[in-house]
Amino acid sequence: MTQALRIALGADHGGFELKQLLLEHLVASGHSVRDCGTGSKHPVDYPVIAQEVARLVASRECQFGIMVDGAGIGSAMAANKVPGVLAAACYNEVLARNSREHNDANVLTLGAGQTPPALARAIVDVFLSASCTADRHRSRVQMIRDSERGTMTRPASGGPTLSSDDLDRIADRVRRLLAERQSGGAAVMPLDRLAALIDHTLLRPEATAADIERLCNEARQHRFYSVCVNPSNVKQAASLLRGTPVKVCCVVGFPLGAQPPESKALEARRAIREGAREIDMVINIGALKSGMNEQVRDDIAQVSDACHESGALNKVIIETALLTDEEKVRACELTMKAGAEFVKTSTGFGPSGASAADVALMSRTVAPRKLGVKAAGGIRTFADVVKMVEAGATRVGSSSSVKIIDEAKALGAT
């Protein structure tokens, strides 16, 4: 849980019900809450309440503010008129984290008409647990605050200046390049970047509750991007990782992909309700190989729609080991048409796992729509990860994640 905080909470009539749910959530999490109203669904003017929330934050009577209206946009505008306030309207956890880490926002606004309660609670938890620490971001936030006072100045050269954080990153990059040259070109990757690529995975059918707890503890310790679990383990994983930046990913239609689209969509919605923020679905492989393109597209689209209703992402497993190159390309094209965010190589239960050649083919195919590519299946070493990233992978799934981190440390990753 995040540390106990003083929070100003408000809503207009459209956000009243969500505000009450968030009030219960915040109090249960140990926070001290100033309820600024409204107290019913009777129509009120959101700017008045939003500015009261903002005033409490600007005066430092409260450390953070949360304001709910129908869309979240108007309240952000009203709150930002109060000097000292940086308000951000956020519709998913990524925006919430970005608003804190990059912009040092101190007021969160939510749209009750856009954000289901479970997602709103998750957004609030991320917003309250993240912080702005990087020098380059803090210097830009200071520029925003200076502009509020009319004192912002541009560098004499007219261009951006390098912060100490920028200089440290440049120096670190030079050191790593020199180390690579001295070691004959051995790949080096910073540990934080490596961990942020990995979905820490446990999909064995015999996995116990204790195994899931261990998985989540490892993910929290190493700051992996997510844990990837079976549907029956989502609720436990979400509870264990609440208040941390680690996401929960759930497989759907796993491992064969032969279920009807409606069943997969239902499975995805339940996983999202229980805390999953990403879905890894298996396509109908037989339909793809039969040339039933519309059926495959609809299969993916129904799960994508279920994900997008709650701001989750859909990653589509095409099981490359069972496909020809033409079928792999067609699967990627149908994934793009169906509105998913990622294509993924394998379930890990097929004849073989990810290959660099398949990752490169998939990466080239989805490049026009800028989809992510997840390599999974048989990735057990740091060298495997580097090979997949060089081929174009933007995410990696592995059950050997801790071993990979340990190898990276031994090889000099920092």
Side-chain angles (χ1 to χ4, degrees), residues 4 16 51 63 72 82 89 91 110 130 148 163 229 238-239 264 268 290 319 357 368 372 377 400 412:
F16 169 70
Q51 292 211 342
Q63 293 158 285
V82 177
Y91 301 100
L110 295 168
E148 183 178 71
S163 68
V229 297
S239 176
K264 293 179 186 177
S290 300
E319 201 69 281
S400 302

Side-chain angles (χ1 to χ4, degrees), residues 194-217:
L194 173 61
L197 288 171
I198 296 175
D199 290 344
H200 192 32
T201 304
L202 178 55
L203 299 171
R204 297 195 314 269
E206 73 274 17
T208 65
D211 293 329
I212 298 299
E213 183 172 1
R214 187 181 309 110
L215 181 85
C216 293
N217 288 339

Side-chain angles (χ1 to χ4, degrees), residues 311-333:
L313 301 184
N314 185 19
K315 306 205 288 291
V316 178
I317 306 171
I318 66 174
E319 201 69 281
T320 51
L322 300 177
L323 306 179
T324 65
D325 282 356
E326 182 277 328
E327 290 166 342
K328 294 167 194 172
V329 169
R330 187 153 43 88
C332 290
E333 292 172 343

Side-chain angles (χ1 to χ4, degrees), residues 146-351:
D146 288 344
S147 70
E148 183 178 71
R149 296 188 290 269
T151 59
M152 185 178 75
T153 57
R154 293 183 62 84
S157 64
T161 58
L162 290 176
S163 68
S164 61
D165 188 60
D166 293 324
L167 294 172
D168 287 343
R169 288 187 296 108
I170 293 169
D172 181 65
R173 177 60 178 157
V174 171
R175 284 193 295 269
R176 286 189 284 115
L177 287 171
L178 290 172
E180 289 175 20
R181 177 169 294 184
Q182 291 169 359
S183 63
V188 178
M189 186 183 299
L191 288 180
D192 56 350
R193 180 185 167 210
L194 173 61
L197 288 171
I198 296 175
D199 290 344
H200 192 32
T201 304
L202 178 55
L203 299 171
R204 297 195 314 269
E206 73 274 17
T208 65
D211 293 329
I212 298 299
E213 183 172 1
R214 187 181 309 110
L215 181 85
C216 293
N217 288 339
E218 290 169 347
R220 185 187 298 109
Q221 176 187 349
H222 295 289
R223 297 181 71 83
F224 294 127
Y225 188 86
S226 80
V227 296
C228 185
V229 297
N230 283 308
S232 60
N233 302 127
V234 167
K235 185 178 290 187
Q236 180 191 4
S239 176
L240 291 168
L241 293 170
R242 187 169 293 119
T244 78
V246 182
K247 299 181 186 297
V248 176
C249 171
C250 177
V251 292
V252 161
F254 196 81
L256 302 179
Q259 299 88 335
E262 296 81 6
S263 298
K264 293 179 186 177
L266 185 64
E267 193 176 4
R269 286 190 175 92
R270 174 170 178 169
I272 293 167
R273 283 199 306 271
E274 293 185 342
R277 303 310 313 146
E278 295 192 350
I279 297 297
D280 282 16
M281 68 163 289
V282 187
I283 63 165
N284 188 323
I285 300 164
L288 179 76
K289 294 185 78 68
S290 300
M292 299 176 179
N293 293 343
E294 285 304 309
Q295 184 176 331
V296 175
R297 189 203 63 78
D298 181 61
D299 185 45
I300 301 169
Q302 289 205 34
V303 177
S304 294
D305 290 345
C307 290
H308 299 161
E309 288 168 4
S310 301
L313 301 184
N314 185 19
K315 306 205 288 291
V316 178
I317 306 171
I318 66 174
E319 201 69 281
T320 51
L322 300 177
L323 306 179
T324 65
D325 282 356
E326 182 277 328
E327 290 166 342
K328 294 167 194 172
V329 169
R330 187 153 43 88
C332 290
E333 292 172 343
L334 292 169
T335 296
M336 290 189 285
K337 291 178 181 178
E341 285 74 27
F342 272 78
V343 285
K344 177 179 171 183
T345 58
S346 321
T347 61
F349 288 77

